[in-house]
Amino acid sequence: MDHPDDEIARLREAFTRLPKDIGHGDSVLIRRSDVRPEWVMQVIEDPHDRYEESRPGMERRTVIVGRVSESRQWIKVVFVGDPETGLFLTAYRDRRLDEDYGGPPWQIQ
């Protein structure tokens, strides 16, 4: 079994390799200091939900929703296009998702 530090390093490296939207996705960790890169990758690798959004005049976006025990909150990860071929746009903790997916108390995973 991998050491927890090895797993965090693997997830952070995977986040570094994600193709990112220039000017937005590449600065998400500066703008969203309450989201860690390993959390983003954990949500991508083990999503609770995934759906697409499209609005007139905007590119199609894929939203992946999940949570990790350390965050104690739902995390929304957004890609322009499809996660396999598109660009990472943003990720943030979203309390509004409690209404859709349930809120505290969180069970530790």
Side-chain angles (χ1 to χ4, degrees), residues 51-55 58-63 76 78-79 81 92:
Y51 56 92
E52 291 185 5
E53 293 181 338
S54 60
R55 297 180 196 144
M58 290 183 66
E59 298 168 309
R60 178 179 58 91
R61 294 184 177 177
T62 301
V63 177
K76 185 182 270 191
V78 183
F79 284 85
Y92 54 95

Side-chain angles (χ1 to χ4, degrees), residues 19 60 80-87:
R60 178 179 58 91
V80 175
D82 188 80
E84 288 77 30
T85 59
L87 299 173

